[in-house]
Amino acid sequence: MITNAANVAKCSSRRALYICNTQYVRCSPKRNLSTPAPKTIRHQRPIYVAATKQHVGKTSVSLALVSHFTKRFGTENVGYMKAVGQQSLRVWEESDDIDGSGQYITIDKDVKLIRDHFRLRHLKFADMSPVLIPRGYTKSYLDGEIDHQTQMADIRRAYLNIVKSSNSYDGKGVKTGDSVTICEGTGHAGVGSVVGAGNARVAAELGADIVLVANGGLGKAFDELELNRSLCLQYGVNIAGVIINKVQPEKYDQTRTYLNKAIQSMWKDENGEAPPLLGVVPDRPYLGCPALADVESTFDSVLLSGSDHRYRHYDVGSNVQGRSIGMSMVTTDLAAFLRTLQRQHEGARTLFICHSTRDDVILGFLSEYRRRVRRGAEFQSALVICSGGDDGLDDIGEESELSPEVCEMIMDAGPLGPPVLVASGRSPAEAAKEIRTMTPKFNADDERRVSRATEHYEPYIDFDLLLERTSTLTDLGREGAFA
């Protein structure tokens, strides 16, 4: 195995990267016991998860892959990277020195999610997120301020570091098990092309096989898959298979049958073979329910009270099919609002929205919370207070801030109190629309949603077929190691 960076540089990038994921295995299911088992080597190519568009489920699929392979091969034998990221955050990266030193670095947010959730402590943040595209990056690249070769070299170097860190050996230098590296893409296969780092191109640089993820459907789903397949063909990237996500349960069998027919009849290569359907995942409404943390992010706000409930999820209606609506704009008088609150069963979750001029509604909400607490009953509803537009009666034209006295009463409820936040500059109708149309994203601290997604996706993916499609066995008794 090549591990020295200088030696790797002497090889072509794709061959060097391909060699570094080589594993020696014994493979002879039926043989004469007096005959020594032939030694073979297993070339495991990296698995690149791409999608037909944004918000399709790449991270959910990546979670399922990393979860399965850490259980199958051991945490230390699994690598993960997001070669090109967009949404970032700052983390502390410890150095290898024993003095505990380190530095803050900026990485893609999904990298922190995966590393923290699966405890991939053998990997460095910097290697898992080698290239970020913040605001202004594209102009700098086109102006020649960012060198393309350096950018791609950073990605290759990071990948090689991950492969090296994800291969465990015993005291004699013998590999202790199989390993695999998951590469999560950004958006569809062409995202990043303007800076020479589109998903298909990066996958080709790493010698990876692509898994394409698409939303449920038939005609539209296949059309989107076909567009992304063309880029894979352009860069010579093998499509390991397709995963169809968010399929309506009543159309599950139909989707599986007819999309498989379409792929098998229209995607055949020169050998008459086509990529398989690796998985068809039914929709689970809970995963589309935003947490209060998502609402905070949408309105660039923070909870004034109830911050301990930041990862409580709410069913907000139209973005969750077949579910009762759990969001309500308050335009009634106080008495009617209190009747609504008091009729709620214990544990009910409703996201109420009102205008900042409705002090009566806000105080009534706090009063009902305290009444429930005195009775030892649960109170899980939340309140979004809007300070812009109108109050639902068309008589408010400008920004109307929450009064300091009411704000203080809300904050007095503390982190364990009822969740309340302010949506500045929005009317109740505008806030309701933004909440209903938002796409909830995974958060490293939202363990409940991450675990639920992982548990939901794993049973629907054929991992054995995926490994078969992304690896090659070579018999050393008949061929050279790298013939």
Side-chain angles (χ1 to χ4, degrees), residues 247-258:
V247 177
Q248 296 180 29
E250 64 273 16
K251 295 184 178 181
Y252 185 87
D253 292 334
Q254 171 186 297
T255 300
R256 173 182 283 279
T257 298
Y258 286 98

Side-chain angles (χ1 to χ4, degrees), residues 64 245 281-284 287 451-460:
N245 186 30
V281 185
D283 188 27
R284 181 169 185 178
L287 298 177
S451 296
R452 288 282 186 88
T454 303
E455 293 164 3
H456 179 62
Y457 275 72
E458 276 193 77
Y460 295 100

Side-chain angles (χ1 to χ4, degrees), residues 2-138:
I2 296 177
T3 57
N4 185 282
N7 291 335
V8 171
K10 296 177 182 178
C11 307
S12 67
S13 62
R14 289 199 63 181
R15 182 167 183 248
L17 297 171
Y18 184 70
I19 292 172
C20 283
N21 245 350
T22 300
Q23 294 129 27
Y24 290 85
V25 296
R26 296 278 183 180
C27 182
S28 184
K30 293 182 180 180
R31 64 181 180 84
N32 188 324
L33 294 179
S34 62
T35 304
K39 178 176 282 190
T40 63
I41 55 174
R42 175 172 171 266
H43 301 284
Q44 174 61 59
R45 297 181 292 278
I47 299 171
Y48 200 105
V49 182
T52 55
K53 58 183 179 182
Q54 193 178 23
H55 307 318
V56 168
K58 294 184 305 300
T59 302
S60 297
V61 170
S62 297
L63 282 167
L65 297 185
V66 175
S67 175
H68 175 83
F69 291 131
T70 52
K71 290 180 284 191
R72 184 168 182 159
F73 300 144
T75 299
E76 69 283 356
N77 287 321
V78 175
Y80 169 89
M81 72 182 300
K82 193 160 185 178
V84 180
Q86 291 179 308
Q87 299 184 32
S88 61
L89 50 77
R90 281 169 59 82
V91 297
W92 178 258
E93 178 89 282
E94 293 184 357
S95 71
D96 294 327
D97 298 332
I98 59 175
D99 61 2
S101 61
Q103 61 179 334
Y104 280 102
I105 63 171
T106 304
I107 63 168
D108 185 89
K109 64 179 184 61
D110 290 331
V111 165
K112 177 173 172 54
L113 166 69
I114 297 286
R115 186 178 185 268
D116 287 358
H117 186 74
F118 296 106
R119 296 176 174 82
L120 304 181
R121 307 301 184 198
H122 58 292
L123 305 179
K124 290 288 189 182
F125 279 126
D127 294 328
M128 299 173 77
S129 183
V131 173
L132 285 171
I133 304 181
R135 185 182 299 275
Y137 188 95
T138 300

